[in-house]
Amino acid sequence: MRRYIDVFKNSGWLFIDRSLRSLVGFYISIKIANYLGVTQFGTYNLALSLFAIILPFASLGLNNIFIREFVKNSSKRNITFFSSLTLKLIGSFITILIALIIYIIFPSYQDVSKLTLIMAIGIPFLSFDIIELSLQALLKSRKIVFIKLIAFIISSIIKLMVIYLQMSISYLAWAITFDFILSGIILFSSMKLIDINFRDMQIDFSRVKELFKDSFPLLLSGFMITIYMRIDQLMLGYYIDEQAVGIYSIAVRFTELWYIIPTVLISSFLPKFTEIKKKSNLLFFNEIQNLYKLFVLISLITCLFINLFSTIIIDSLFNQEYNEASIYLNLLIWSIVFTNLGM
């Protein structure tokens, strides 16, 4: 059990960070939903869904591959870091280009595509999450948690100000972009924590090619998972209307709250699993099996709780126009059992 002490400490900090982000983000979503009304909230969520579908092209499926290589090849960390950063920046500008093309070729959906394009402007700053991934690999996440939380709180206050001042929906998209920019600047200023400096930058394009080759299947997997998770909202918007999307999105937001637990555990266990695999494949697969058993148990308990209390929860948090969301939530929450096993 001793080998897990650092993992649990690291996952604890990550859990605090991401739990607070999820809970505060959900609180902001409640405020936005009740402020915009069901139709405009539907438009807002259509834009978020479209943005989520194109976002995997920014990371290129590189995150877990980078952590693995950063831990495994300690003598080549500088090359791995800057080669991965280069890939992420390339992916970011490709994603912006995709958002721009969507805005141009679908003029009848410009309300949605305009919001998506505004959010995409901040994507290059997300490339600096490579610094946060480096700290995860070194089991030093707590050094950046508080700094990033401050940035998140600032951006959350800005969203609340947009609601308080009754500003237009586009300002909510700009608030998301500001969050990306602020987080990127903070992460960039924290590079000294990983002992890597831009003055020592080394980019090996053969290494870039290798990293992309390894990450490409994960890019496709992440893209398909995102389509699976978001295409339902786009289809509702296309075949019915924004009002249906607004109601359904409440159930989606509530379901996504529970993704935080497996996401944090996988990110934190990955460095240790890499070390275990070097020693024994049998031990590695046993540990993976135990982790997925834990995922199933947590998911089943969550689903049963939500099915018992969904109506009370929805009615107490949202305006009356969102009451139907409890019906969707009772069904949609069971998807976490299978989604968690796919992480």
Side-chain angles (χ1 to χ4, degrees):
M1 292 297 293
R2 287 184 178 179
R3 68 175 180 267
Y4 293 120
I5 292 176
D6 288 340
V7 172
F8 284 122
K9 286 181 179 178
N10 193 55
S11 70
W13 288 105
L14 286 172
F15 187 78
I16 290 170
D17 177 38
R18 295 184 184 178
S19 294
L20 283 175
R21 285 172 173 270
S22 295
L23 291 172
V24 173
F26 185 66
Y27 172 77
I28 298 293
S29 294
I30 294 171
K31 292 294 185 182
I32 292 173
N34 291 331
Y35 165 65
L36 292 178
V38 68
T39 301
Q40 273 205 308
F41 188 63
T43 301
Y44 178 67
N45 277 278
L46 282 172
L48 288 174
S49 296
L50 184 58
F51 179 73
I53 286 174
I54 65 175
L55 191 59
F57 293 99
S59 66
L60 297 174
L62 194 60
N63 291 359
N64 287 341
I65 297 297
F66 170 78
I67 292 175
R68 184 195 72 189
E69 295 300 315
F70 201 77
V71 171
K72 187 169 70 174
N73 300 309
S74 57
S75 61
K76 297 182 179 179
R77 283 178 177 171
N78 188 294
I79 294 174
T80 300
F81 179 89
F82 286 108
S83 298
S84 299
L85 179 60
T86 300
L87 264 178
K88 278 179 166 284
L89 286 170
I90 292 171
S92 296
F93 288 108
I94 290 173
T95 307
I96 293 174
L97 182 61
I98 293 171
L100 181 60
I101 291 171
I102 291 172
Y103 178 75
I104 292 171
I105 66 176
F106 294 108
S108 58
Y109 295 97
Q110 282 195 350
D111 286 345
V112 172
S113 58
K114 178 184 176 182
L115 295 177
T116 303
L117 182 58
I118 291 172
M119 297 176 205
I121 292 171
I123 287 178
F125 291 89
L126 291 179
S127 301
F128 293 106
D129 70 352
I130 203 80
I131 298 168
E132 184 178 8
L133 294 172
S134 301
L135 290 169
Q136 285 183 34
L138 298 171
L139 300 179
K140 296 179 179 179
S141 293
R142 68 180 182 272
K143 293 187 176 182
I144 198 69
V145 165
F146 290 116
I147 300 174
K148 286 199 68 183
L149 274 178
I150 290 170
F152 176 70
I153 290 169
I154 292 171
S155 65
S156 297
I157 291 172
I158 291 173
K159 290 176 184 176
L160 289 174
M161 289 295 293
V162 169
I163 296 170
Y164 177 76
L165 296 173
Q166 298 185 343
M167 301 170 77
S168 70
I169 191 173
S170 62
Y171 285 96
L172 290 171
W174 281 114
I176 292 172
T177 300
F178 176 79
D179 184 23
F180 295 159
I181 294 171
L182 186 59
S183 294
I185 292 171
I186 288 174
L187 286 170
F188 179 77
S189 66
S190 304
M191 278 192 66
K192 59 184 179 181
L193 296 176
I194 57 173
D195 297 322
I196 291 177
N197 196 300
F198 267 92
R199 288 176 295 182
D200 304 318
M201 182 170 57
Q202 298 178 51
I203 300 174
D204 184 343
F205 285 99
S206 63
R207 184 66 173 150
V208 170
K209 185 177 179 180
E210 289 173 9
L211 288 168
F212 180 69
K213 183 178 179 182
D214 287 347
S215 67
F216 185 71
L218 294 178
L219 165 61
L220 293 180
S221 173
F223 178 62
M224 296 307 297
I225 288 172
T226 307
I227 289 178
Y228 158 73
M229 292 172 63
R230 299 289 186 172
I231 197 65
D232 46 3
Q233 295 180 64
L234 295 179
M235 290 176 66
L236 277 174
Y238 181 79
Y239 288 108
I240 305 179
D241 55 24
E242 286 86 353
Q243 184 173 344
V245 177
I247 295 171
Y248 181 75
S249 295
I250 298 298
V252 172
R253 292 293 182 91
F254 209 97
T255 301
E256 288 175 348
L257 271 179
W258 305 101
Y259 295 160
I260 180 66
I261 297 174
T263 301
V264 169
L265 287 175
I266 287 175
S267 297
S268 296
F269 271 94
L270 189 60
K272 284 297 179 185
F273 281 165
T274 301
E275 294 178 8
I276 292 170
K277 195 172 190 306
K278 290 179 183 178
K279 299 174 184 177
S280 168
N281 281 334
L282 180 61
L283 181 60
F284 171 74
F285 287 116
N286 284 337
E287 296 292 347
I288 290 289
Q289 186 178 26
N290 290 334
L291 184 62
Y292 280 114
K293 286 179 181 177
L294 178 62
F295 286 173
V296 171
L297 178 62
I298 293 172
S299 299
L300 290 175
I301 293 172
T302 301
C303 292
L304 291 172
F305 175 81
I306 293 300
N307 273 243
L308 286 172
F309 300 105
S310 61
T311 302
I312 297 172
I313 294 169
I314 296 297
D315 290 351
S316 62
L317 294 177
F318 297 95
N319 294 339
Q320 188 175 356
E321 57 188 341
Y322 293 103
N323 286 353
E324 290 181 33
S326 60
I327 300 171
Y328 303 135
L329 179 57
N330 285 337
L331 296 172
L332 194 60
I333 193 66
W334 288 95
S335 67
I336 69 172
V337 178
F338 309 100
T339 304
N340 289 351
L341 290 176
M343 288 189 173

